[in-house]
Amino acid sequence: MKTAILINARAGALHGLTLPEVVLDKLARHGITGDVTRARTSRAMSAFIRRVKTTGVKRVIVAGGDGTIGTILKGMVGAEGVTVGLIPTGSLNNICTKLGIPSDIDQAIETIVLAKTSGFDVASVGKQYMIEGLGLGLIAEIFDRTDWDKEKKVVQMATTTIKQVLKPTTISVTAQVGTRIWQFETVWLTLTNLGNLGAMTLSPESKQGDGKMEFLYCKPLSLLELPKYAASFARGTHLDRDKFEHMSVTKLRLSFPRQTTVHIDDQTYNRQRLDITVLRKAITVYTP
């Protein structure tokens, strides 16, 4: 099987780097070889994606963190007949964790060797693809201001929450799901594919391959309520609170009165409208 391998040697900076030679040696021991790309930049990853789509590659193996893996997965949308093998070498590895892929490199490679596959949902958001999720309001602030280092994230999340307590902001949203159109005010909103934000669980009901994503938002809070809701959000018990709304969607339109900061996967954008469609099983990946 024609195989292309991409390794990001800079992945996992928070918890120790994995040398490309280590990954390649372990792959070879499992009988896997192919054209190798050592990618450190988005330009190199884009070039890799173009080669895969034009040279008849049927198996792609990517070793890296969520940023690298997410970039390659998005690039494989529309690549007919291509199956992607994932080797988690990042700091958090949310994508692989959600798919049940072991953090141990040898065990992750064994998943590829066994050749069991699953479909991976992707969302189109305008002209781009979304792998993990999008957020705005407090959820975007937490993401942008948190390094997700386990030793620092709690402090950073608390600092961001305190700032919101001192200067709370709400966002006006018009949402459309099917024929239902409604307006609401929110302090944070998210659409999640994996069900997580960093190490926090947003929606335990999120399932890959079902063609749906989880839409959640929080109604405006008083200054007294905000710390309690932020704490429940950090603990993953927020869905029990009465000011959280939650639903599964296949299509979603969000619009705002003005340009609003939105966090999509690992990038920040300013948007006034978001048209979102879930592409069921848009990618095929090796899974346990």
Side-chain angles (χ1 to χ4, degrees), residues 117-142:
T117 63
S118 298
F120 190 99
D121 295 337
V122 176
S124 66
V125 185
K127 295 182 179 181
Q128 65 192 103
Y129 294 121
M130 184 195 83
I131 291 290
E132 296 189 66
L134 65 80
L136 56 87
L138 176 59
I139 200 166
E141 289 288 324
I142 288 175

Side-chain angles (χ1 to χ4, degrees), residues 35-197:
D35 295 329
V36 179
T37 298
R38 292 170 172 82
R40 294 175 177 266
T41 65
S42 58
R43 179 178 295 182
M45 294 180 200
S46 296
F48 174 84
I49 291 167
R50 287 195 296 271
R51 287 197 299 275
V52 167
K53 289 184 172 181
T54 57
T55 58
V57 170
K58 293 302 180 184
R59 180 170 62 182
V60 169
I61 297 174
V62 53
D66 289 316
T68 301
I69 287 174
T71 296
I72 301 305
L73 287 177
K74 283 183 268 193
M76 293 302 107
V77 175
E80 187 174 350
V82 175
T83 303
V84 185
L86 307 178
I87 302 175
T89 59
S91 299
L92 294 176
N93 304 312
N94 290 325
I95 297 173
C96 289
T97 298
K98 182 64 179 179
L99 293 173
I101 296 171
S103 58
D104 178 81
I105 294 176
D106 282 300
Q107 292 178 11
I109 294 172
E110 287 173 4
T111 297
I112 299 170
V113 173
L114 291 174
K116 179 181 177 181
T117 63
S118 298
F120 190 99
D121 295 337
V122 176
S124 66
V125 185
K127 295 182 179 181
Q128 65 192 103
Y129 294 121
M130 184 195 83
I131 291 290
E132 296 189 66
L134 65 80
L136 56 87
L138 176 59
I139 200 166
E141 289 288 324
I142 288 175
F143 196 102
D144 286 337
R145 298 175 185 274
T146 303
D147 294 330
W148 301 109
D149 183 326
K150 292 183 179 179
E151 296 179 356
K152 298 178 180 179
K153 69 180 181 182
V154 174
V155 174
Q156 291 172 330
M157 289 167 56
T159 300
T160 301
T161 301
I162 289 171
K163 288 181 179 179
Q164 289 292 317
V165 170
L166 297 176
K167 190 179 179 181
T169 57
T170 60
I171 300 169
S172 298
V173 182
T174 300
Q176 179 175 353
V177 176
T179 58
R180 179 191 176 195
I181 301 174
W182 75 104
Q183 296 179 328
F184 58 89
E185 301 281 322
T186 183
V187 291
W188 73 259
L189 174 153
T190 185
L191 179 73
T192 175
N193 187 21
L194 300 182
N196 296 341
L197 173 68

